[in-house]
Amino acid sequence: MPRQHHRVTGTLLAATLAGIPLLPVTATAAPTSDSTAEIFTFADQADGSLDTPVGTSTLARDKSGISATFRTGQLRADHAYTLWIVVFNRPENCAQPCNEDDIFVGGDPRGPMNTATIKAADIHAVYGGGKVADASGTTRIDTHLPVRDASREDLLAKVNPGAALKETQGAEVHLVLRSHGPKISGQVEEQLGSYAGGCTTFLHPPAVPKNEGECADLQFAVHPPQARAAR
């Protein structure tokens, strides 16, 4: 099956964290089907190699919402990780393919957010769960996002208030795994429950968090739309 090329979103909190120089992240993914996609690292993307997947992501869609399972490895044992669901409700309005240019002007998180395209593509970027990696450096995060659910932390809420998953079959879905570094005593719940939980230093690929307080987006998978609904 020919590889399909996509650029995936990264570092989505840039516009809300004043004074932190976050850099754009671009990547290419090769999903094997609508429901299964390989997981790659942003570090591999940064050096131009996406030949070795580190895990597999599955996505199921029905009228009530989407359910995903993110199984991955090559993580640091006892580090905290969160999963983020980036929904492009109207991918036909993306720059093609959907990528960070649709979220930041010029694709640069240090600049302003691309308000027009965020609204045109109806982008929603929400929390999908958190886990601590086991001793083997692996983890599995299962998540479900119901249609019209606007109750979770949404990284784009200030730009696209009230956004939610609108129609499951036509949406493009990017799953992003974020590292919050080693477990911090008294802060594990926070690390596993929010984008900036436990973060004091924001790193960029190919850097990987090693110390307490270091955070970075590490891995991603892309699930293209199953069918583009009539608008």
Side-chain angles (χ1 to χ4, degrees):
M1 179 176 180
R3 284 179 176 259
Q4 301 180 38
H5 297 288
H6 296 264
R7 293 166 65 198
V8 75
T9 56
T11 328
L12 295 173
L13 199 60
T16 62
L17 294 174
I20 299 175
L22 303 181
L23 301 178
V25 176
T26 303
T28 303
T32 58
S33 74
D34 178 70
S35 61
T36 303
E38 294 172 320
I39 299 170
F40 295 98
T41 69
F42 285 111
D44 281 347
Q45 180 276 325
D47 65 20
S49 63
L50 283 174
D51 298 324
T52 307
V54 295
T56 302
S57 167
T58 59
L59 184 74
R61 311 168 189 244
D62 61 31
K63 292 182 178 180
S64 67
I66 57 176
S67 298
T69 297
F70 197 91
R71 299 181 181 88
T72 190
Q74 296 189 15
L75 304 176
R76 292 182 179 271
D78 293 324
H79 280 219
Y81 296 89
T82 53
L83 185 67
W84 294 85
I85 308 169
V86 186
V87 175
F88 297 82
N89 281 294
R90 302 184 66 175
E92 67 272 18
N93 291 336
C94 287
Q96 296 303 318
C98 295
N99 60 77
E100 69 280 358
D101 291 333
D102 299 304
I103 297 176
F104 305 105
V105 173
D108 187 351
R110 295 168 297 182
M113 301 196 95
N114 191 342
T115 302
T117 307
I118 289 172
K119 291 182 177 180
D122 197 4
I123 308 173
H124 185 46
V126 297
Y127 174 75
K131 284 281 186 70
V132 174
D134 63 21
S136 66
T138 62
T139 196
R140 167 179 168 165
I141 299 178
D142 296 298
T143 189
H144 178 70
L145 180 63
V147 168
R148 304 286 176 180
D149 179 6
S151 65
R152 307 184 189 186
E153 179 183 4
D154 182 354
L155 306 182
L156 303 178
K158 291 184 179 180
V159 177
N160 195 19
L165 173 65
K166 304 289 176 58
E167 189 276 319
T168 63
Q169 300 301 317
E172 177 163 320
V173 180
H174 296 193
L175 301 175
V176 177
L177 187 73
R178 180 169 179 77
S179 170
H180 296 254
K183 292 189 299 182
I184 302 173
S185 179
Q187 296 186 46
V188 176
E189 184 175 351
E190 179 185 355
Q191 287 179 286
L192 297 178
S194 66
Y195 189 88
C199 305
T200 57
T201 302
F202 293 79
L203 305 177
H204 317 293
V208 176
K210 298 179 181 179
N211 304 309
E212 289 187 1
E214 294 179 344
C215 295
D217 295 341
L218 287 190
Q219 301 178 359
F220 68 89
V222 174
H223 293 269
Q226 192 171 70
R228 297 197 177 189
R231 303 293 181 183

